[in-house]
Amino acid sequence: MTSQEVRAQFLDFFKGKKHKIVPSAPMVIKDDPTLMFTNAGMNQFKEFFLGNSVPKSKRVSDTQKCLRVSGKHNDLEEVGKDTYHHTMFEMLGNWSFGDYFKKEAIQWAWELLTEVYGIDKKSLYVSVFEGSDDGDNLEMDIEAYDLWKAIVPEDRIIMGNKKDNFWEMGDQGPCGPCSEIHVDIRSKEEKAKISGASLVNQDHPQVVEIWNLVFMQYNRKANGKLENLPEKHVDTGMGFERLCMVLQGVKSNYDTDVFTPLIREIEAITGHKYGKNKEMDIAIRVVADHVRAVAFSIADGQLPSNTGAGYVIRRILRRAIRYGFTFLDTNKPFIYRLVKVLSHTMGKAFPELREQYQLIENVIKEEENSFLGTLEQGLVLLDSVIKSSKDKTIDGKKAFELYDTFGFPIDLTSLILEERGYKLDAEGFEKALKAQKDRSRAASEVSKDDWTVLIEDAVQEFVGYDSLEADVKLVKYRKIQSKKEGEQFQLVFNLTPFYAEGGGQVGDKGYLEAPNGDVFYIVDTKRENNETVHFCQSLPKNTFQTFKATVDKKQRSRTESNHTATHLLHQALREILGTHVEQKGSAVHSKYLRFDFSHFSKVTPEKLRAVENFVNARIEGQLPFEENRNIPLKEAMEQGAMALFGEKYGDTVRTVKFGRSIELCGGTHVKNTADIWHFKIVSEGAVAAGIRRIEAITSDAVKEFYHKNNRMLFEIKDLMNNPQDPVKAVTSLQEENALLKKQMEQLLKDKAKGLKRELISELEEIDGVQFLSKKVDLDAAGIKDMAFEIGGQFSNLFLLLAAENDGKALLSCYISKEIVAEKSLNAGTIVRELGKYIQGGGGGQPFFATAGGKNPEGIQDALNKAKEYIS
Ligand code: SER
């Protein structure tokens, strides 16, 4: 059975059980501060479990792209070493939101595995939660035990502890006891020797968990306590790749058709066969696994970067590059070449891979190039650290510097040291690493109290499209504490005019006014799950009164100008550069806007001007704002609305239209494009391979921009004694400057010629070598040029030139290649030895090397000593 068929049968089965099949949510999460990536199928349904949102269908099923590389569920370091862990994997799941519970979940799972997929019942084990006597004091799941007992012999039911059989999404959130289904795919002989039951949950590569049935009934609060959920739910998750392994009769996930095409390609590129060498096999698995995680993230709009989710993606890709570099001898980009195979095998189920194929390839290739450069540079630096070490141990602090400043991986450092017979001061490294982690954790740590709820079951309404003021009631609040911002309060109201940061647009600022006139400033507004959370520096004493909430109008209207201009810019780029342009990121602030988009080369100044003109023409055209707040997604797409990859859209959406620009958008906008006043691009550049960034300003900021430029022009004119025509004045200044430069160069050339003649006349023949050591009045580059000039005329030259510049001493030694070999001389060694007279050091190649030092007094001694090398 092919993997495509396995996936299809799962979904068909649950469709037959009246489940609605929904698409996978994006792998990169944007509006849940507790989670960076989707790490389980249930993430997108969290709010249904908590009772904060009501689902349209009570039974749902899908295959979800998951990534377990950060937070509570993190498998990154395991991946590659065994045959059944992955960073990115697919999770097949079925859900009941307050509908069926344990009985159906258990029966259907068994039916699908044994009757539809035909897995031998005797190879399956199930586990049941045994209860816990820790602070939670949970009882054993007797109901699940009895349900399983009716299906499988009791010796196949295993009691499981809290770690294995009580599933929690994170430190907070929905959770509950679970029953896992494990499969034993060992041979008959092996099964006869050791029972499968004893190997369940023992990290055996062939006795593995394939399906987890979670019976959601609690919510873990911030204070660590469990609270009953309003209803009981089912959340199941089956590892797709493991299921394929079982159904395809192979012993490793990497031997299924999900991975073999990738592995064959890696073999073809690197010339190394899978299955021949343990370390290479790990590396091949790492690469095959990681390319999936990275490609899917990029398709979801998450590019590698230096912060947040982007940084995690960069680390995954770098781990793959490093394994390739170390174990597969790859020193050229190669991972990007796997994207084609990947999009071929998975593009049908996940069309985003096909649509974004070119971009994914470009980005990965660029990252590979740059990290390979880092690796090479790191090797040189490590080399010098090794050479300067006095004993056979490398200082942990130095290794940390290499890792922290240059991104040189520590395991590669250890490996190289080991190969050369050196040891790493691992303790010192760990200490430095921990100190840095503590520093950054302290800076970003935020502790949160539980919510204090004042109004139960309140549904929040956003009125900020139509109004900037509203009378509001506090629904709930909590205190948060961060090192950076100090103590703050998060407030949720029954209705709000405040726009919460989202879709690139910043959150509103403003204030709350109590009936007695007290004012409380709202410094930011963010979206958390489905709620608008207002950040306030203090909490009103009387929380039950009605407040007047007012949005800062100036900031809002400037932001709106920039948001509408962003839509027009998007339209302009697609019209002028082509429809390959896709939005890859955007930031809409009150002071400026930033727009990232896919495009393969620099945008020429002419095109930029055309883009600017296009937008300004639409501003002058006074296009009215037209919106549709509730239109079916399909209809909006048919109207030509622009949607973004990696964005989660509901069945109905909001469209925002200005003339022919129409976008799916939740942001706020000007009422007429004339309100933007003017649009000005201030910069254009690259952010990653194939991704460009434009920064622009509108309205007041453009006025400020022109004022500033005007002031600058006056200052320039002033400096040049107020010429009539400043452009002409600058041009003649430039011409004069060029002439002076030319004359200066000629003078220097003449001087050098004279010096060269002088030096040659002073050469002394010793033992068949033309020798001279002398102090000259040149800088480092001048000395080098001079040495090579004279060197070009002799094949038996030994030249030591010294100079004093800005109180520092410089020594350069040139030795003709012929006598380097003949007399076993080495300029590098010589300058290092002579370097001690000038209290410095240096190095270079055997025929030319340079040392710098802080003691010019020692120059003469060094010059005197030079003769000894040849006589
Ligand atoms: N949430 C559970 C898991 O991720 C079942 O879907 O294992």
Side-chain angles (χ1 to χ4, degrees), residues 240-427:
F240 170 67
E241 296 76 8
R242 290 185 187 179
L243 177 65
C244 289
M245 163 178 87
V246 175
L247 298 181
Q248 294 179 0
V250 290
K251 298 277 182 256
S252 147
N253 290 2
Y254 293 87
D255 292 337
T256 65
D257 66 348
V258 180
F259 285 98
T260 45
L262 288 170
I263 291 179
R264 293 295 90 80
E265 188 67 14
I266 299 172
E267 290 176 333
I269 296 172
T270 64
H272 293 301
K273 278 252 162 280
Y274 184 60
K276 294 259 180 295
N277 168 296
K278 193 168 158 243
E279 277 175 339
M280 283 186 187
D281 286 355
I282 293 178
I284 291 175
R285 287 195 290 267
V286 164
V287 173
D289 172 276
H290 290 10
V291 67
R292 289 170 20 113
V294 175
F296 273 92
S297 299
I298 299 172
D300 263 2
Q302 182 58 64
L303 298 174
S305 74
N306 270 342
T307 52
Y311 183 57
V312 178
I313 298 306
R314 175 165 281 169
R315 269 186 37 219
I316 298 175
L317 181 52
R318 287 185 169 185
R319 186 168 183 261
I321 300 171
R322 176 160 53 82
Y323 268 89
F325 181 85
T326 316
F327 301 109
L328 302 173
D329 312 319
T330 49
N331 51 15
K332 276 206 307 266
F334 78 105
I335 299 171
Y336 78 97
R337 290 166 66 185
L338 305 172
V339 179
K340 199 179 208 159
V341 180
L342 183 64
S343 103
H344 192 73
T345 52
M346 297 195 73
K348 198 157 167 231
F350 301 95
E352 63 268 32
L353 275 185
R354 279 195 194 150
E355 284 156 29
Q356 306 247 52
Y357 159 71
Q358 196 58 53
L359 175 77
I360 300 171
E361 226 190 43
N362 283 345
V363 171
I364 294 184
K365 186 175 178 188
E366 184 70 13
E367 282 283 317
E368 287 193 83
N369 258 325
S370 107
F371 190 56
L372 284 168
T374 301
L375 288 179
E376 264 156 34
Q377 190 195 7
L379 287 178
V380 175
L381 289 171
L382 182 58
D383 225 35
S384 71
V385 173
I386 290 177
K387 281 199 187 120
S388 66
S389 97
K390 295 201 182 59
D391 51 21
K392 288 264 165 184
T393 305
I394 299 297
D395 186 6
K397 257 211 212 120
K398 285 223 171 95
F400 178 75
E401 219 175 273
L402 215 58
Y403 159 82
D404 190 40
T405 323
F406 301 99
F408 197 72
I410 189 64
D411 44 2
L412 197 54
T413 301
S414 311
L415 203 81
I416 293 169
L417 292 181
E418 205 177 303
E419 275 170 16
R420 304 228 197 144
Y422 280 77
K423 253 180 54 201
L424 170 72
D425 157 28
E427 217 171 281

Side-chain angles (χ1 to χ4, degrees), residues 40-55 57-58 60 94-101 167 169 173-176 214-219 227-236 530:
M42 54 75 66
N43 296 158
Q44 64 165 320
F45 308 121
K46 177 177 152 191
E47 295 303 295
F48 298 156
F49 292 135
L50 293 174
N52 295 339
S53 299
V54 184
S57 322
K58 287 190 160 221
V60 159
N94 59 293
W95 288 272
S96 149
F97 307 120
D99 190 43
Y100 62 83
F101 202 43
W167 199 85
M169 184 181 127
C175 53
V214 184
F215 312 119
M216 290 288 187
Q217 38 193 308
Y218 305 105
N219 180 19
E227 186 177 75
N228 280 325
L229 289 173
E231 284 188 285
K232 290 178 175 164
H233 316 273
V234 169
D235 153 31
T236 88
N530 273 330

Side-chain angles (χ1 to χ4, degrees), residues 32-156:
D32 185 345
T34 62
L35 214 55
M36 243 185 225
F37 300 103
T38 296
N39 65 12
M42 54 75 66
N43 296 158
Q44 64 165 320
F45 308 121
K46 177 177 152 191
E47 295 303 295
F48 298 156
F49 292 135
L50 293 174
N52 295 339
S53 299
V54 184
K56 284 211 191 76
S57 322
K58 287 190 160 221
R59 298 181 182 187
V60 159
S61 174
D62 72 8
T63 179
Q64 172 66 49
K65 307 174 269 188
C66 297
L67 195 60
R68 289 197 169 169
V69 288
S70 58
K72 188 174 172 77
H73 300 279
N74 184 352
D75 293 334
L76 183 59
E77 289 310 318
E78 301 307 316
V79 173
K81 293 182 188 151
D82 63 30
T83 53
Y84 56 100
H85 274 101
H86 300 291
T87 51
M88 184 238 154
F89 62 96
E90 272 180 75
M91 194 183 265
L92 301 164
N94 59 293
W95 288 272
S96 149
F97 307 120
D99 190 43
Y100 62 83
F101 202 43
K102 295 182 190 176
K103 182 165 155 241
E104 292 83 349
I106 287 175
Q107 280 175 355
W108 289 342
W110 193 254
E111 182 186 333
L112 176 62
L113 290 182
T114 60
E115 288 169 32
V116 178
Y117 287 136
I119 299 176
D120 179 8
K121 289 180 184 163
K122 289 206 234 35
S123 68
L124 295 173
Y125 293 87
V126 300
S127 66
V128 168
F129 181 47
E130 66 185 6
S132 77
D133 50 13
D134 54 0
D136 291 334
N137 295 331
L138 294 158
E139 284 177 9
M140 171 191 161
D141 192 350
I142 297 178
E143 188 187 349
Y145 191 90
D146 288 341
L147 286 164
W148 280 120
K149 204 169 71 174
I151 302 176
V152 295
E154 276 187 88
D155 61 358
R156 300 194 158 266

